[in-house]
């Protein structure tokens, strides 16, 4: 079950992340695997509230964006 979930995440997420990189919206020096591991680590950590978890996740994801507005 876990292996199938992992495969599904990569099959769905990797092409989206690649398109974001090609569009200049996501850093080129990151891989989808890097991002997935970062998010998994953030989600697995204990937080005071759901709001705090969301804030920390937004901080991390801001680092993936190119800053192109």
């Amino acid at each position: 079950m876990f292996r199938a979930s992992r495969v599904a995440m990569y099959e769905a997420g990797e092409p989206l992340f690649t398109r974001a990189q090609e569009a200049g919206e996501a850093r080129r020096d990151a891989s989808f695997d890097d991002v997935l591991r970062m998010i998994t680590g953030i989600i697995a950590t204990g937080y005071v509230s759901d709001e705090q978890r969301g804030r920390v996740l937004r901080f991390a994801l801001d680092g993936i964006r190119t800053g192109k507005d």
Side-chain angles (χ1 to χ4, degrees):
M1 181 171 88
F2 290 115
R3 186 173 300 150
S5 294
R6 186 175 196 275
V7 168
M9 281 190 294
Y10 277 85
E11 286 177 352
E14 210 157 22
L16 293 172
F17 188 69
T18 299
R19 284 200 308 260
Q21 287 175 312
E22 290 168 353
E25 298 294 329
R27 296 170 57 138
R28 291 196 173 268
D29 63 341
S31 69
F32 179 71
D33 186 62
D34 294 337
V35 174
L36 191 59
R37 289 173 188 274
M38 177 183 68
I39 291 171
T40 301
I42 291 169
I43 297 300
T45 302
Y47 293 92
V48 175
S49 65
D50 289 341
E51 291 79 19
Q52 183 185 41
R53 177 184 294 112
R55 228 178 10 260
V56 171
L57 188 55
R58 282 191 302 277
F59 296 155
L61 292 176
D62 283 345
I64 297 299
R65 294 185 185 98
T66 60
K68 181 180 118 177
D69 289 327

